[in-house]
Amino acid sequence: MRRVLTTLMILLVVLVAGLSALVLLVNPNDFRAYMVRQVEARSGYELKLEGPLRWHVWPQLSILSGRMSLTAPGASAPLVTADNMRLDVTLWPLLSHQLQVQQVMLKGAVIQLTPQTEAVRDESAPVVPHENTLPDAPEDAGWSFDIGSLKVADSLLVFQHEDDEQVTVRNINLQMDQDERHRAAVEFSGRVNRNQRDMNLTMKANVDASDYPHRLTADIQQLGWTLSGADLPAQGITGQGTLQAVWLEEQKQLQLNNLQLQANDSKLQGQANVILDEAPKWVFDLQFDRLNLENLLAPQGDAAPQSRAAQTGQAARQTRPVISSAVDQPEYNGLRGFTADIRLKANSVRWRGMDFTQVNAQMLNHEGLLTITELSGQLGDGRLSLPGSLDVRKETAKAEFQPRLDNVEIGTILKAFNYPISLTGHLTMAGDFSGSRIDADAFRRSWQGQAKVSLTGTRMEGLNFQQLVQQAVERSSSVKGSESFDNATRLDRFTSDLTLDDGQLTLNAMEGASSMLVLTGSGTLDLVQESADTHFNVRVLDGWEGEGKLVDFLKETPIPLRVYGKWHALNYNLQVDQVLRKQLQGEAKRRLNDWADKNKDSQNGRDVKKFLDKL
């Protein structure tokens, strides 16, 4: 045991002595000019090292530098700056005058991917052909230069594409290890804070740069993120996934293949690619097993009048601040700068409490003209389609949609958009609507359009038209109606022509029927004030007790009924007395006519006849 310890001590002394001698005999500043030349020869970038280089022996033999910067050819600002840089080197190559760098570490670096840091190509410089595979001729025979690993810790990335807003990624930690074939394993983490939103991103990938810059492939084996803040669900968005990204330099094309992503409880797969031309060209082909928009988008407001919102005590949610600008950007201005061909399929979609199935979408955006050729799906036992277009090429946006609904439960839609109307039934509709903004509040206030609607199996809570008419008749005559405790109007079928104009919904040619009653009418609904003013003519066909001419008359005679007021507190007005008075007048006139006809030879009969003729 003593011999082993003695041997280890001797080796340790030799190692310490060797390193000490190396530090004393080899000056790391001798490598400065060589490293600068090699970086420029191999990449064209300018490396600047400020301050003296010095050795760092433990726990890894390293060269430490002061402030450094790396600038692309012709760029006006450095691509990378750092307060210090550490080069972990291999010991034995130094004995033969070789500098083999195992790892480059930057701490507190600032990386700027902006137009100011991009390389500017010299017009007179020759273009190297892609098929040229000849190695670089070494101009310096004394030293070789090799980097196997890069580490960036606690650093900052500033990204900006052309004139777009800058995006800052903080707390960057990057570890990249590559082999002699330029195939690297990369681990990355960072945080983005922007517009009151915070995103944490982590990634593990294998990168193939053997054909860089012509082609760069990244096989992302693990991608994770968390997103929270304004205009997002309270629980935030947490996701993970895998994909393969391929960059093709000559075509300026980015391909995203084998997408497998999950965000909260939503899952998608598919592929996408973009050609970064003057106007980028996107192509999406995505399939969702489940898309829960309620867990991906901010809670939807009901766009109700402020008075009702205040009464119900709705809680305010956190929203992003409105950033003022000297130039007012048109609505949906972001659609102008690119083209996109989008194909979406989803087995299930949840939005505003509605569960859609078999959803298909086909959309094409051409620099501000978004054409939705197909947007369809199943909702319960019904089906709906919403083709349309959104044109933002002019200063004012214009949206046009042609909704088609077949056997869709209307109560589900009313509840989804918080309309306080207690109406159920299966809706079929064909319409044409237009407006300038696509949201629920704009539809209530500023859209226009027309449609034909029909409802089957409808039930309107709060007012029982049959009961109202029969109770009014009972108060004014001896006719009785059957007792009904159902506070709702039921119709087997209902049809109407609908016109929407800036919040005013006009219903014309209303017709409804059931085994109990038949009605016609017209009216208006104020979607903003949530009020109604409708006029009906109601014939109650059944539910009368007894028989007689009055009952037969009531079955054949429409009773005027006006329903008006706020949706949550409707009022009504029935004109039963006028109808009964007319019926009594008619009956009296008929009987007098019969008497006058029987007594037409008498003076009284002739006088009565003259009187009736004057009426």
Side-chain angles (χ1 to χ4, degrees), residues 244-261:
Q244 183 189 66
V246 180
W247 170 253
L248 304 176
E249 174 64 25
E250 281 72 19
Q251 296 87 351
K252 300 296 182 183
Q253 182 177 10
L254 175 63
Q255 298 177 350
L256 303 177
N257 302 319
N258 302 324
L259 281 167
Q260 299 282 343
L261 301 178

mmCIF file with all atom_site columns, all heavy atoms in Angstrom, residues 244-261:
data_model
loop_
_atom_site.group_PDB
_atom_site.id
_atom_site.type_symbol
_atom_site.label_atom_id
_atom_site.label_alt_id
_atom_site.label_comp_id
_atom_site.label_asym_id
_atom_site.label_entity_id
_atom_site.label_seq_id
_atom_site.pdbx_PDB_ins_code
_atom_site.Cartn_x
_atom_site.Cartn_y
_atom_site.Cartn_z
_atom_site.occupancy
_atom_site.B_iso_or_equiv
_atom_site.pdbx_formal_charge
_atom_site.auth_seq_id
_atom_site.auth_comp_id
_atom_site.auth_asym_id
_atom_site.auth_atom_id
_atom_site.pdbx_PDB_model_num
ATOM 1   N N   . GLN A 1 244 ? -38.221 17.260 -37.092 1.00 0.00 ? 244 GLN A N   1
ATOM 2   C CA  . GLN A 1 244 ? -36.981 17.357 -37.857 1.00 0.00 ? 244 GLN A CA  1
ATOM 3   C C   . GLN A 1 244 ? -37.023 18.647 -38.667 1.00 0.00 ? 244 GLN A C   1
ATOM 4   O O   . GLN A 1 244 ? -37.980 18.890 -39.407 1.00 0.00 ? 244 GLN A O   1
ATOM 5   C CB  . GLN A 1 244 ? -36.812 16.161 -38.796 1.00 0.00 ? 244 GLN A CB  1
ATOM 6   C CG  . GLN A 1 244 ? -35.483 16.195 -39.563 1.00 0.00 ? 244 GLN A CG  1
ATOM 7   C CD  . GLN A 1 244 ? -35.416 15.133 -40.631 1.00 0.00 ? 244 GLN A CD  1
ATOM 8   O OE1 . GLN A 1 244 ? -36.162 15.163 -41.598 1.00 0.00 ? 244 GLN A OE1 1
ATOM 9   N NE2 . GLN A 1 244 ? -34.506 14.167 -40.459 1.00 0.00 ? 244 GLN A NE2 1
ATOM 10  N N   . ALA A 1 245 ? -35.991 19.464 -38.519 1.00 0.00 ? 245 ALA A N   1
ATOM 11  C CA  . ALA A 1 245 ? -35.902 20.729 -39.241 1.00 0.00 ? 245 ALA A CA  1
ATOM 12  C C   . ALA A 1 245 ? -34.739 20.665 -40.231 1.00 0.00 ? 245 ALA A C   1
ATOM 13  O O   . ALA A 1 245 ? -33.635 20.230 -39.883 1.00 0.00 ? 245 ALA A O   1
ATOM 14  C CB  . ALA A 1 245 ? -35.693 21.895 -38.271 1.00 0.00 ? 245 ALA A CB  1
ATOM 15  N N   . VAL A 1 246 ? -35.000 21.108 -41.471 1.00 0.00 ? 246 VAL A N   1
ATOM 16  C CA  . VAL A 1 246 ? -33.987 21.101 -42.530 1.00 0.00 ? 246 VAL A CA  1
ATOM 17  C C   . VAL A 1 246 ? -33.936 22.487 -43.150 1.00 0.00 ? 246 VAL A C   1
ATOM 18  O O   . VAL A 1 246 ? -34.968 23.024 -43.583 1.00 0.00 ? 246 VAL A O   1
ATOM 19  C CB  . VAL A 1 246 ? -34.312 20.050 -43.618 1.00 0.00 ? 246 VAL A CB  1
ATOM 20  C CG1 . VAL A 1 246 ? -33.237 20.067 -44.698 1.00 0.00 ? 246 VAL A CG1 1
ATOM 21  C CG2 . VAL A 1 246 ? -34.424 18.659 -43.000 1.00 0.00 ? 246 VAL A CG2 1
ATOM 22  N N   . TRP A 1 247 ? -32.724 23.070 -43.197 1.00 0.00 ? 247 TRP A N   1
ATOM 23  C CA  . TRP A 1 247 ? -32.537 24.368 -43.836 1.00 0.00 ? 247 TRP A CA  1
ATOM 24  C C   . TRP A 1 247 ? -31.770 24.171 -45.141 1.00 0.00 ? 247 TRP A C   1
ATOM 25  O O   . TRP A 1 247 ? -30.690 23.585 -45.159 1.00 0.00 ? 247 TRP A O   1
ATOM 26  C CB  . TRP A 1 247 ? -31.781 25.333 -42.935 1.00 0.00 ? 247 TRP A CB  1
ATOM 27  C CG  . TRP A 1 247 ? -31.355 26.594 -43.637 1.00 0.00 ? 247 TRP A CG  1
ATOM 28  C CD1 . TRP A 1 247 ? -30.095 26.940 -44.019 1.00 0.00 ? 247 TRP A CD1 1
ATOM 29  C CD2 . TRP A 1 247 ? -32.207 27.658 -44.055 1.00 0.00 ? 247 TRP A CD2 1
ATOM 30  N NE1 . TRP A 1 247 ? -30.096 28.151 -44.644 1.00 0.00 ? 247 TRP A NE1 1
ATOM 31  C CE2 . TRP A 1 247 ? -31.387 28.620 -44.695 1.00 0.00 ? 247 TRP A CE2 1
ATOM 32  C CE3 . TRP A 1 247 ? -33.571 27.892 -43.961 1.00 0.00 ? 247 TRP A CE3 1
ATOM 33  C CZ2 . TRP A 1 247 ? -31.903 29.800 -45.220 1.00 0.00 ? 247 TRP A CZ2 1
ATOM 34  C CZ3 . TRP A 1 247 ? -34.089 29.067 -44.491 1.00 0.00 ? 247 TRP A CZ3 1
ATOM 35  C CH2 . TRP A 1 247 ? -33.262 30.003 -45.106 1.00 0.00 ? 247 TRP A CH2 1
ATOM 36  N N   . LEU A 1 248 ? -32.332 24.662 -46.254 1.00 0.00 ? 248 LEU A N   1
ATOM 37  C CA  . LEU A 1 248 ? -31.717 24.601 -47.573 1.00 0.00 ? 248 LEU A CA  1
ATOM 38  C C   . LEU A 1 248 ? -31.342 26.019 -47.979 1.00 0.00 ? 248 LEU A C   1
ATOM 39  O O   . LEU A 1 248 ? -32.219 26.856 -48.234 1.00 0.00 ? 248 LEU A O   1
ATOM 40  C CB  . LEU A 1 248 ? -32.676 23.976 -48.600 1.00 0.00 ? 248 LEU A CB  1
ATOM 41  C CG  . LEU A 1 248 ? -33.196 22.569 -48.236 1.00 0.00 ? 248 LEU A CG  1
ATOM 42  C CD1 . LEU A 1 248 ? -34.215 22.116 -49.274 1.00 0.00 ? 248 LEU A CD1 1
ATOM 43  C CD2 . LEU A 1 248 ? -32.041 21.586 -48.141 1.00 0.00 ? 248 LEU A CD2 1
ATOM 44  N N   . GLU A 1 249 ? -30.042 26.282 -48.024 1.00 0.00 ? 249 GLU A N   1
ATOM 45  C CA  . GLU A 1 249 ? -29.562 27.641 -48.220 1.00 0.00 ? 249 GLU A CA  1
ATOM 46  C C   . GLU A 1 249 ? -29.898 28.173 -49.604 1.00 0.00 ? 249 GLU A C   1
ATOM 47  O O   . GLU A 1 249 ? -30.356 29.322 -49.745 1.00 0.00 ? 249 GLU A O   1
ATOM 48  C CB  . GLU A 1 249 ? -28.056 27.691 -47.986 1.00 0.00 ? 249 GLU A CB  1
ATOM 49  C CG  . GLU A 1 249 ? -27.411 29.048 -48.296 1.00 0.00 ? 249 GLU A CG  1
ATOM 50  C CD  . GLU A 1 249 ? -27.920 30.150 -47.390 1.00 0.00 ? 249 GLU A CD  1
ATOM 51  O OE1 . GLU A 1 249 ? -28.374 29.861 -46.270 1.00 0.00 ? 249 GLU A OE1 1
ATOM 52  O OE2 . GLU A 1 249 ? -27.872 31.321 -47.826 1.00 0.00 ? 249 GLU A OE2 1
ATOM 53  N N   . GLU A 1 250 ? -29.639 27.397 -50.669 1.00 0.00 ? 250 GLU A N   1
ATOM 54  C CA  . GLU A 1 250 ? -29.863 27.899 -52.019 1.00 0.00 ? 250 GLU A CA  1
ATOM 55  C C   . GLU A 1 250 ? -31.324 28.266 -52.248 1.00 0.00 ? 250 GLU A C   1
ATOM 56  O O   . GLU A 1 250 ? -31.638 29.269 -52.868 1.00 0.00 ? 250 GLU A O   1
ATOM 57  C CB  . GLU A 1 250 ? -29.417 26.867 -53.067 1.00 0.00 ? 250 GLU A CB  1
ATOM 58  C CG  . GLU A 1 250 ? -27.911 26.817 -53.315 1.00 0.00 ? 250 GLU A CG  1
ATOM 59  C CD  . GLU A 1 250 ? -27.152 26.197 -52.144 1.00 0.00 ? 250 GLU A CD  1
ATOM 60  O OE1 . GLU A 1 250 ? -27.790 25.492 -51.337 1.00 0.00 ? 250 GLU A OE1 1
ATOM 61  O OE2 . GLU A 1 250 ? -25.919 26.432 -52.044 1.00 0.00 ? 250 GLU A OE2 1
ATOM 62  N N   . GLN A 1 251 ? -32.229 27.436 -51.726 1.00 0.00 ? 251 GLN A N   1
ATOM 63  C CA  . GLN A 1 251 ? -33.659 27.713 -51.887 1.00 0.00 ? 251 GLN A CA  1
ATOM 64  C C   . GLN A 1 251 ? -34.208 28.637 -50.804 1.00 0.00 ? 251 GLN A C   1
ATOM 65  O O   . GLN A 1 251 ? -35.378 29.048 -50.879 1.00 0.00 ? 251 GLN A O   1
ATOM 66  C CB  . GLN A 1 251 ? -34.460 26.406 -51.861 1.00 0.00 ? 251 GLN A CB  1
ATOM 67  C CG  . GLN A 1 251 ? -34.169 25.469 -53.003 1.00 0.00 ? 251 GLN A CG  1
ATOM 68  C CD  . GLN A 1 251 ? -32.990 24.542 -52.701 1.00 0.00 ? 251 GLN A CD  1
ATOM 69  O OE1 . GLN A 1 251 ? -32.297 24.726 -51.700 1.00 0.00 ? 251 GLN A OE1 1
ATOM 70  N NE2 . GLN A 1 251 ? -32.771 23.560 -53.556 1.00 0.00 ? 251 GLN A NE2 1
ATOM 71  N N   . LYS A 1 252 ? -33.405 28.950 -49.804 1.00 0.00 ? 252 LYS A N   1
ATOM 72  C CA  . LYS A 1 252 ? -33.865 29.723 -48.650 1.00 0.00 ? 252 LYS A CA  1
ATOM 73  C C   . LYS A 1 252 ? -35.130 29.091 -48.061 1.00 0.00 ? 252 LYS A C   1
ATOM 74  O O   . LYS A 1 252 ? -36.114 29.767 -47.763 1.00 0.00 ? 252 LYS A O   1
ATOM 75  C CB  . LYS A 1 252 ? -34.138 31.180 -49.038 1.00 0.00 ? 252 LYS A CB  1
ATOM 76  C CG  . LYS A 1 252 ? -32.955 31.925 -49.587 1.00 0.00 ? 252 LYS A CG  1
ATOM 77  C CD  . LYS A 1 252 ? -31.844 32.062 -48.556 1.00 0.00 ? 252 LYS A CD  1
ATOM 78  C CE  . LYS A 1 252 ? -30.667 32.862 -49.112 1.00 0.00 ? 252 LYS A CE  1
ATOM 79  N NZ  . LYS A 1 252 ? -29.548 32.943 -48.155 1.00 0.00 ? 252 LYS A NZ  1
ATOM 80  N N   . GLN A 1 253 ? -35.086 27.786 -47.877 1.00 0.00 ? 253 GLN A N   1
ATOM 81  C CA  . GLN A 1 253 ? -36.263 27.030 -47.472 1.00 0.00 ? 253 GLN A CA  1
ATOM 82  C C   . GLN A 1 253 ? -36.024 26.325 -46.149 1.00 0.00 ? 253 GLN A C   1
ATOM 83  O O   . GLN A 1 253 ? -34.984 25.699 -45.934 1.00 0.00 ? 253 GLN A O   1
ATOM 84  C CB  . GLN A 1 253 ? -36.649 26.009 -48.537 1.00 0.00 ? 253 GLN A CB  1
ATOM 85  C CG  . GLN A 1 253 ? -37.903 25.211 -48.216 1.00 0.00 ? 253 GLN A CG  1
ATOM 86  C CD  . GLN A 1 253 ? -38.279 24.263 -49.329 1.00 0.00 ? 253 GLN A CD  1
ATOM 87  O OE1 . GLN A 1 253 ? -37.514 24.058 -50.265 1.00 0.00 ? 253 GLN A OE1 1
ATOM 88  N NE2 . GLN A 1 253 ? -39.455 23.668 -49.243 1.00 0.00 ? 253 GLN A NE2 1
ATOM 89  N N   . LEU A 1 254 ? -36.999 26.426 -45.264 1.00 0.00 ? 254 LEU A N   1
ATOM 90  C CA  . LEU A 1 254 ? -36.976 25.726 -43.990 1.00 0.00 ? 254 LEU A CA  1
ATOM 91  C C   . LEU A 1 254 ? -38.093 24.681 -44.006 1.00 0.00 ? 254 LEU A C   1
ATOM 92  O O   . LEU A 1 254 ? -39.262 25.015 -44.198 1.00 0.00 ? 254 LEU A O   1
ATOM 93  C CB  . LEU A 1 254 ? -37.183 26.701 -42.826 1.00 0.00 ? 254 LEU A CB  1
ATOM 94  C CG  . LEU A 1 254 ? -37.297 26.074 -41.430 1.00 0.00 ? 254 LEU A CG  1
ATOM 95  C CD1 . LEU A 1 254 ? -36.001 25.362 -41.055 1.00 0.00 ? 254 LEU A CD1 1
ATOM 96  C CD2 . LEU A 1 254 ? -37.652 27.125 -40.393 1.00 0.00 ? 254 LEU A CD2 1
ATOM 97  N N   . GLN A 1 255 ? -37.719 23.428 -43.793 1.00 0.00 ? 255 GLN A N   1
ATOM 98  C CA  . GLN A 1 255 ? -38.681 22.333 -43.771 1.00 0.00 ? 255 GLN A CA  1
ATOM 99  C C   . GLN A 1 255 ? -38.815 21.818 -42.344 1.00 0.00 ? 255 GLN A C   1
ATOM 100 O O   . GLN A 1 255 ? -37.819 21.570 -41.674 1.00 0.00 ? 255 GLN A O   1
ATOM 101 C CB  . GLN A 1 255 ? -38.232 21.196 -44.685 1.00 0.00 ? 255 GLN A CB  1
ATOM 102 C CG  . GLN A 1 255 ? -38.110 21.577 -46.148 1.00 0.00 ? 255 GLN A CG  1
ATOM 103 C CD  . GLN A 1 255 ? -37.584 20.436 -46.993 1.00 0.00 ? 255 GLN A CD  1
ATOM 104 O OE1 . GLN A 1 255 ? -37.135 19.410 -46.474 1.00 0.00 ? 255 GLN A OE1 1
ATOM 105 N NE2 . GLN A 1 255 ? -37.629 20.606 -48.306 1.00 0.00 ? 255 GLN A NE2 1
ATOM 106 N N   . LEU A 1 256 ? -40.054 21.642 -41.909 1.00 0.00 ? 256 LEU A N   1
ATOM 107 C CA  . LEU A 1 256 ? -40.347 21.054 -40.607 1.00 0.00 ? 256 LEU A CA  1
ATOM 108 C C   . LEU A 1 256 ? -41.106 19.758 -40.861 1.00 0.00 ? 256 LEU A C   1
ATOM 109 O O   . LEU A 1 256 ? -42.281 19.777 -41.254 1.00 0.00 ? 256 LEU A O   1
ATOM 110 C CB  . LEU A 1 256 ? -41.177 22.016 -39.754 1.00 0.00 ? 256 LEU A CB  1
ATOM 111 C CG  . LEU A 1 256 ? -40.566 23.405 -39.505 1.00 0.00 ? 256 LEU A CG  1
ATOM 112 C CD1 . LEU A 1 256 ? -41.526 24.274 -38.714 1.00 0.00 ? 256 LEU A CD1 1
ATOM 113 C CD2 . LEU A 1 256 ? -39.220 23.291 -38.795 1.00 0.00 ? 256 LEU A CD2 1
ATOM 114 N N   . ASN A 1 257 ? -40.438 18.630 -40.645 1.00 0.00 ? 257 ASN A N   1
ATOM 115 C CA  . ASN A 1 257 ? -41.007 17.325 -40.950 1.00 0.00 ? 257 ASN A CA  1
ATOM 116 C C   . ASN A 1 257 ? -41.251 16.538 -39.670 1.00 0.00 ? 257 ASN A C   1
ATOM 117 O O   . ASN A 1 257 ? -40.643 16.801 -38.626 1.00 0.00 ? 257 ASN A O   1
ATOM 118 C CB  . ASN A 1 257 ? -40.068 16.525 -41.867 1.00 0.00 ? 257 ASN A CB  1
ATOM 119 C CG  . ASN A 1 257 ? -39.793 17.270 -43.164 1.00 0.00 ? 257 ASN A CG  1
ATOM 120 O OD1 . ASN A 1 257 ? -40.689 17.869 -43.751 1.00 0.00 ? 257 ASN A OD1 1
ATOM 121 N ND2 . ASN A 1 257 ? -38.532 17.256 -43.596 1.00 0.00 ? 257 ASN A ND2 1
ATOM 122 N N   . ASN A 1 258 ? -42.137 15.554 -39.771 1.00 0.00 ? 258 ASN A N   1
ATOM 123 C CA  . ASN A 1 258 ? -42.434 14.646 -38.654 1.00 0.00 ? 258 ASN A CA  1
ATOM 124 C C   . ASN A 1 258 ? -42.784 15.398 -37.375 1.00 0.00 ? 258 ASN A C   1
ATOM 125 O O   . ASN A 1 258 ? -42.301 15.085 -36.287 1.00 0.00 ? 258 ASN A O   1
ATOM 126 C CB  . ASN A 1 258 ? -41.249 13.710 -38.399 1.00 0.00 ? 258 ASN A CB  1
ATOM 127 C CG  . ASN A 1 258 ? -40.891 12.885 -39.607 1.00 0.00 ? 258 ASN A CG  1
ATOM 128 O OD1 . ASN A 1 258 ? -41.772 12.468 -40.363 1.00 0.00 ? 258 ASN A OD1 1
ATOM 129 N ND2 . ASN A 1 258 ? -39.598 12.651 -39.812 1.00 0.00 ? 258 ASN A ND2 1
ATOM 130 N N   . LEU A 1 259 ? -43.624 16.402 -37.528 1.00 0.00 ? 259 LEU A N   1
ATOM 131 C CA  . LEU A 1 259 ? -44.051 17.174 -36.363 1.00 0.00 ? 259 LEU A CA  1
ATOM 132 C C   . LEU A 1 259 ? -44.899 16.309 -35.444 1.00 0.00 ? 259 LEU A C   1
ATOM 133 O O   . LEU A 1 259 ? -45.884 15.690 -35.860 1.00 0.00 ? 259 LEU A O   1
ATOM 134 C CB  . LEU A 1 259 ? -44.859 18.388 -36.806 1.00 0.00 ? 259 LEU A CB  1
ATOM 135 C CG  . LEU A 1 259 ? -44.081 19.605 -37.323 1.00 0.00 ? 259 LEU A CG  1
ATOM 136 C CD1 . LEU A 1 259 ? -45.028 20.567 -38.009 1.00 0.00 ? 259 LEU A CD1 1
ATOM 137 C CD2 . LEU A 1 259 ? -43.364 20.300 -36.193 1.00 0.00 ? 259 LEU A CD2 1
ATOM 138 N N   . GLN A 1 260 ? -44.518 16.263 -34.178 1.00 0.00 ? 260 GLN A N   1
ATOM 139 C CA  . GLN A 1 260 ? -45.286 15.587 -33.138 1.00 0.00 ? 260 GLN A CA  1
ATOM 140 C C   . GLN A 1 260 ? -45.263 16.514 -31.922 1.00 0.00 ? 260 GLN A C   1
ATOM 141 O O   . GLN A 1 260 ? -44.314 16.509 -31.145 1.00 0.00 ? 260 GLN A O   1
ATOM 142 C CB  . GLN A 1 260 ? -44.680 14.224 -32.794 1.00 0.00 ? 260 GLN A CB  1
ATOM 143 C CG  . GLN A 1 260 ? -44.625 13.230 -33.933 1.00 0.00 ? 260 GLN A CG  1
ATOM 144 C CD  . GLN A 1 260 ? -45.977 12.588 -34.196 1.00 0.00 ? 260 GLN A CD  1
ATOM 145 O OE1 . GLN A 1 260 ? -46.881 12.638 -33.358 1.00 0.00 ? 260 GLN A OE1 1
ATOM 146 N NE2 . GLN A 1 260 ? -46.116 11.966 -35.356 1.00 0.00 ? 260 GLN A NE2 1
ATOM 147 N N   . LEU A 1 261 ? -46.317 17.323 -31.777 1.00 0.00 ? 261 LEU A N   1
ATOM 148 C CA  . LEU A 1 261 ? -46.326 18.336 -30.730 1.00 0.00 ? 261 LEU A CA  1
ATOM 149 C C   . LEU A 1 261 ? -47.556 18.178 -29.855 1.00 0.00 ? 261 LEU A C   1
ATOM 150 O O   . LEU A 1 261 ? -48.625 17.756 -30.319 1.00 0.00 ? 261 LEU A O   1
ATOM 151 C CB  . LEU A 1 261 ? -46.315 19.745 -31.340 1.00 0.00 ? 261 LEU A CB  1
ATOM 152 C CG  . LEU A 1 261 ? -45.126 20.099 -32.241 1.00 0.00 ? 261 LEU A CG  1
ATOM 153 C CD1 . LEU A 1 261 ? -45.286 21.500 -32.792 1.00 0.00 ? 261 LEU A CD1 1
ATOM 154 C CD2 . LEU A 1 261 ? -43.815 19.962 -31.490 1.00 0.00 ? 261 LEU A CD2 1
#
